[in-house]
Amino acid sequence: MNNKVINVAVDGPAGAGKSSVSRLAAKALGFVYVDTGALYRAVGVNALRKNVDTRDKQAVAATLGDVSVDLVFEDGEQKVLLNGEDVSKEIRTPPASMAASDVSAVPEVRAFLFDLQRDIAKRTNCIMDGRDIGTVVLPDAQVKIFLTASPEERAKRRCLELEQKGTPQKYEDVLAEINERDYNDSHREIAPLKPAEDSVLVDTSFLTIEEAVASIINTVKEKTADEI
Ligand code: DC
């Protein structure tokens, strides 16, 4: 046992269950759960508020001059602040999702958010989820997981989630959006979504949330047996 900070990187496509699974696993391990997608979403919301075309990379980069994005943790829950304002709800709308995907392809945006993610990981045992955590942000993380599921299964889950939130959407539209975001996220030039070479692949298509959480916890325990 030593005092080294433990970092768990969880990457994977939209809707694979990264956030629910990571949140529960972090809780069970007593780690902080960090959702990095929220940062890209906040930058996306900022661009939308300024009526910027989020596919215009230069225009998006120009929005970074006078913006502050921060993560705070209250009772184990993450809140994302845009210029000090809590935008944790606003970042979850479908336009914010597409805007996040667009702005995440802008190198200046990735550079802008890099230190913030690194600093959090440096000081706390955490499970950090995103697209490039194991490959770019935390290449030295002790544990790297690539969490995935088929697009159809992910669309089904997203529909259920939206229905429960009272904002139902058609399955075909949700599936199309997932396919579009998958394509964007894995074909962009900078930090594309791909499994780190040393990551453990977890396919949740046929797993319950509990099974996926158990698989993450077991992997973390195995890989850090002498550290926790
Ligand atoms: O995980 P999410 O759906 O909240 O992420 C929103 C968008 O942000 C997603 O389209 C990809 C991008 N993203 C990224 O490029 N890198 C990360 N580490 C996290 C998210």
Side-chain angles (χ1 to χ4, degrees), residues 11-15 18 35-38 40-41 92 96-98 100-102 104-105 110 117 129-133 137 158 181 184-185 188 191:
D11 291 302
K18 290 191 307 288
D35 160 20
T36 63
Y40 292 90
R41 286 169 179 270
R92 299 295 158 197
S97 300
M98 281 319 293
S101 183
D102 287 340
S104 70
R110 306 202 73 84
Q117 299 169 78
D129 92 20
R131 303 293 190 287
D132 62 337
I133 309 304
V137 179
R158 195 63 111 201
R181 284 179 63 199
N184 282 352
D185 293 347
R188 66 180 175 222

Side-chain angles (χ1 to χ4, degrees), residues 40-51 54 82 87 90-93 95-96 99-100 103:
Y40 292 90
R41 286 169 179 270
V43 172
V45 163
N46 182 56
L48 290 177
R49 282 184 178 180
K50 291 187 166 174
N51 288 320
T54 53
L82 174 62
V87 290
E90 191 176 340
I91 60 168
R92 299 295 158 197
T93 62
V103 303

Side-chain angles (χ1 to χ4, degrees), residues 34-201:
V34 187
D35 160 20
T36 63
L39 298 170
Y40 292 90
R41 286 169 179 270
V43 172
V45 163
N46 182 56
L48 290 177
R49 282 184 178 180
K50 291 187 166 174
N51 288 320
V52 162
D53 175 359
T54 53
R55 283 159 305 176
D56 179 341
K57 290 191 164 72
Q58 265 186 344
V60 169
T63 64
L64 299 172
D66 59 352
V67 72
S68 85
V69 175
D70 219 342
L71 291 182
V72 290
F73 299 92
E74 283 172 18
D75 303 324
E77 280 299 308
Q78 169 184 300
K79 286 196 175 131
V80 60
L81 306 182
L82 174 62
N83 298 325
E85 176 194 346
D86 181 358
V87 290
S88 306
K89 280 221 174 79
E90 191 176 340
I91 60 168
R92 299 295 158 197
T93 62
S97 300
M98 281 319 293
S101 183
D102 287 340
V103 303
S104 70
V106 179
E108 288 87 345
V109 171
R110 306 202 73 84
F112 176 73
L113 298 174
F114 184 80
D115 288 344
L116 175 59
Q117 299 169 78
R118 282 284 278 252
D119 288 346
I120 296 171
K122 222 183 273 173
R123 38 170 214 268
T124 21
N125 288 346
C126 67
I127 298 191
M128 185 173 280
D129 92 20
R131 303 293 190 287
D132 62 337
I133 309 304
T135 48
V136 177
V137 179
L138 304 176
D140 298 327
Q142 292 93 334
V143 187
K144 297 181 187 177
I145 312 262
F146 195 81
L147 202 76
T148 187
S150 68
E152 292 74 19
E153 180 59 32
R154 288 187 278 131
K156 233 164 62 190
R157 292 178 191 167
R158 195 63 111 201
C159 280
L160 204 69
E161 211 178 285
L162 289 166
E163 209 176 293
Q164 283 163 353
K165 278 193 197 149
T167 51
Q169 278 190 49
K170 280 213 317 242
Y171 170 81
E172 290 73 20
D173 293 346
V174 174
L175 180 60
E177 195 203 297
I178 282 190
N179 281 327
E180 191 182 338
R181 284 179 63 199
D182 277 4
Y183 186 88
N184 282 352
D185 293 347
S186 47
H187 286 80
R188 66 180 175 222
E189 274 169 30
I190 182 163
L193 171 67
K194 63 167 187 218
E197 273 173 21
D198 48 350
S199 62
V200 175
L201 183 81

